[in-house]
């Protein structure tokens, strides 16, 4: 379980500057620090043909959307992307780099949702905001230029958790979804993470997981609700095809891998991509981690395939580090 050389350099730099863990800061400080770090690690900002803001009705008031549209006219395949941040940090802005790159690389329209954050709005507020936004986008496909037959959901970390929860709700209440992109998702909040043994304060660790969970779950009993812990759902059959990305040095790694295995066992076409030596957050920091660029390219290839787009540009220039395919 040796860190990738880029991870070792990143960890050393954080230790040298004395960067405090987010879980030692106030919410205001942590939210600002989280956004600053992601912006610093995202690399060059890619231009897209159009970026615009929308506001839509949500379960408890208006929800902001940001729409990224690549060149082209007519209805486009569309990914709803839910940002990470432990349901406590994060915003539309923290997902900006990911959304721009995926919009260009697939290409597809990407819409990110400004769901409500905990602890001000604990579980299940974020889940219902994301599902409401998904239903609204599908119901206003003409207005947004969405091809409703090619609508997917995705997210990283807490956003991956929310995407998985939305697929459970959409299976029962719609809309139909073409794919789910789950990047190091939190899938089981009922116990302690079983990833790396250490609690290195320079990295996302077990204390990080506990800090976010404390803010998100006002009642510990909610940890066993499948909308908070999708791994605990009785039945995963009938969910959309999935790509699950995991990182070896992430305390959420094992539960992400178990979720991919359960999806495949339920007959869901599931592709798992595992990155040895990588850490939680690498997907959002392609300016720091080569594997972040590879993982984003692999996500684009998966979405291209599920959207039925031509295969050109489908493979990243470098072979992904660690690949496994299950369930088709």
């Amino acid at each position: 379980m040796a860190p990738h050389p880029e991870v070792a350099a990143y960890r050393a730099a954080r230790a040298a500057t004395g960067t405090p863990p987010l879980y030692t800061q106030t919410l205001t400080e942590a939210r600002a620090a989280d956004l600053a770090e992601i912006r610093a690690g995202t690399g060059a900002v890619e231009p897209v043909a159009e970026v615009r803001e929308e506001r839509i009705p949500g379960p408890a008031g208006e929800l902001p959307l940001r729409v990224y549209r690549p060149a082209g006219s007519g209805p486009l395949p569309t990914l709803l992307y839910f940002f990470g941040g432990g349901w406590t940090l994060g915003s539309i802005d923290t997902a900006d780099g990911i959304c721009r790159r995926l919009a260009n690389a697939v290409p597809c329209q990407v819409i990110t949702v400004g769901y409500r954050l905990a602890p001000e709005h604990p579980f299940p507020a974020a889940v219902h905001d994301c599902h409401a936004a998904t239903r609204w986008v599908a119901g206003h496909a003409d207005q947004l230029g969405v091809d409703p037959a090619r609508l997917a959901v995705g997210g990283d970390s807490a956003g991956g958790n929310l995407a998985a929860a939305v697929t459970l709700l959409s299976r029962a209440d719609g809309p139909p979804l073409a794919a789910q992109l789950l990047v190091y998702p939190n899938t089981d909040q009922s116990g302690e993470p079983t990833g790396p043994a250490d609690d290195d304060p320079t990295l996302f660790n077990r204390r990080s997981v506990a800090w976010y969970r404390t803010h998100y779950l006002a009642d510990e009993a909610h940890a066993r609700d499948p909308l908070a812990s999708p791994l605990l759902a009785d039945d995963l059959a009938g969910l959309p095809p999935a790509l699950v990305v995991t990182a070896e040095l992430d305390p959420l790694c094992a539960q992400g891998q178990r979720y991919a295995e359960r999806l495949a066992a339920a007959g869901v076409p599931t592709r798992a991509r595992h990155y040895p030596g990588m850490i939680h957050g690498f997907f959002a920091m392609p300016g720091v981690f080569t594997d972040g660029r590879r993982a984003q390219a692999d996500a684009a290839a998966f979405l291209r395939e599920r959207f039925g787009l031509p295969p050109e540009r489908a493979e990243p220039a470098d072979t992904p580090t660690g690949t496994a395919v299950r369930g088709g």
Side-chain angles (χ1 to χ4, degrees):
M1 198 179 287
H4 187 285
E6 291 173 348
V7 169
Y10 170 80
R11 184 167 60 185
R14 287 175 63 84
T17 58
T19 303
L22 294 174
Y23 53 77
T24 66
Q25 302 180 42
T26 67
L27 280 177
T28 299
E29 291 169 343
R31 286 169 176 167
D34 179 62
L35 175 59
E37 181 171 0
I38 289 174
R39 282 178 168 167
T42 209
V45 176
E46 289 194 8
V48 295
E50 180 185 5
V51 180
R52 71 179 189 275
E53 311 290 337
E54 301 277 356
R55 299 195 74 85
I56 66 169
E62 285 190 327
L63 291 174
L65 303 182
R66 183 174 294 165
V67 181
Y68 300 82
R69 193 170 174 90
S73 59
L76 293 177
T78 298
L79 168 70
L80 273 91
Y81 195 85
F82 310 129
F83 58 82
W87 315 274
T88 302
L89 315 179
S91 68
I92 283 176
D93 289 332
T94 58
D96 183 71
I98 293 171
C99 293
R100 288 172 178 273
R101 283 188 171 84
L102 291 180
N104 287 331
V106 176
C108 69
Q109 183 169 239
V110 180
I111 300 175
T112 188
V113 181
Y115 59 84
R116 289 171 290 168
L117 296 179
E120 297 92 337
H121 305 284
F123 173 84
V127 177
H128 292 312
D129 284 356
C130 291
H131 186 231
T134 304
R135 287 174 59 87
W136 192 92
V137 166
H140 294 77
D142 290 344
Q143 175 181 331
L144 293 172
V146 173
D147 178 352
R150 294 186 293 175
L151 180 63
V153 294
D156 58 293
S157 192
N161 167 278
L162 293 169
V166 166
T167 69
L168 294 172
L169 291 172
S170 295
R171 180 176 59 180
D173 299 326
L177 297 171
Q180 54 180 317
L181 168 63
L182 310 180
V183 180
Y184 33 75
N186 186 317
T187 64
D188 183 2
Q189 302 197 67
S190 66
E192 292 301 313
T194 57
D198 64 56
D199 284 327
D200 187 335
T202 64
L203 302 177
F204 181 88
N205 59 43
R206 293 181 183 181
R207 291 188 63 185
S208 308
V209 176
W211 187 74
Y212 290 124
R213 182 175 59 206
T214 298
H215 285 90
Y216 186 50
L217 301 181
D219 184 340
E220 274 297 318
H222 291 160
R224 299 203 63 81
D225 188 318
L227 296 182
S229 298
L231 186 63
L232 304 185
D234 291 336
D235 182 14
L236 300 180
L239 297 178
L243 171 63
V244 182
V245 175
T246 56
E248 183 183 25
L249 302 184
D250 179 4
L252 303 181
C253 180
Q255 58 183 263
Q257 291 177 323
R258 287 198 300 272
Y259 195 63
E261 290 163 0
R262 277 209 62 204
L263 286 170
V268 176
T270 303
R271 185 169 300 166
R273 291 291 188 262
H274 178 66
Y275 284 81
M278 275 293 118
I279 57 172
H280 191 91
F282 83 99
F283 185 85
M285 302 178 71
V288 176
F289 302 115
T290 303
D291 277 349
R293 297 193 292 275
R294 290 172 175 157
Q296 288 189 7
D298 204 42
F302 166 75
L303 290 169
R304 212 166 14 247
E305 178 183 330
R306 300 317 311 180
F307 289 152
L309 296 174
E312 55 265 26
R313 301 189 306 175
E315 293 301 325
D318 298 299
T319 303
T321 310
T323 296
V325 180
R326 302 181 179 92

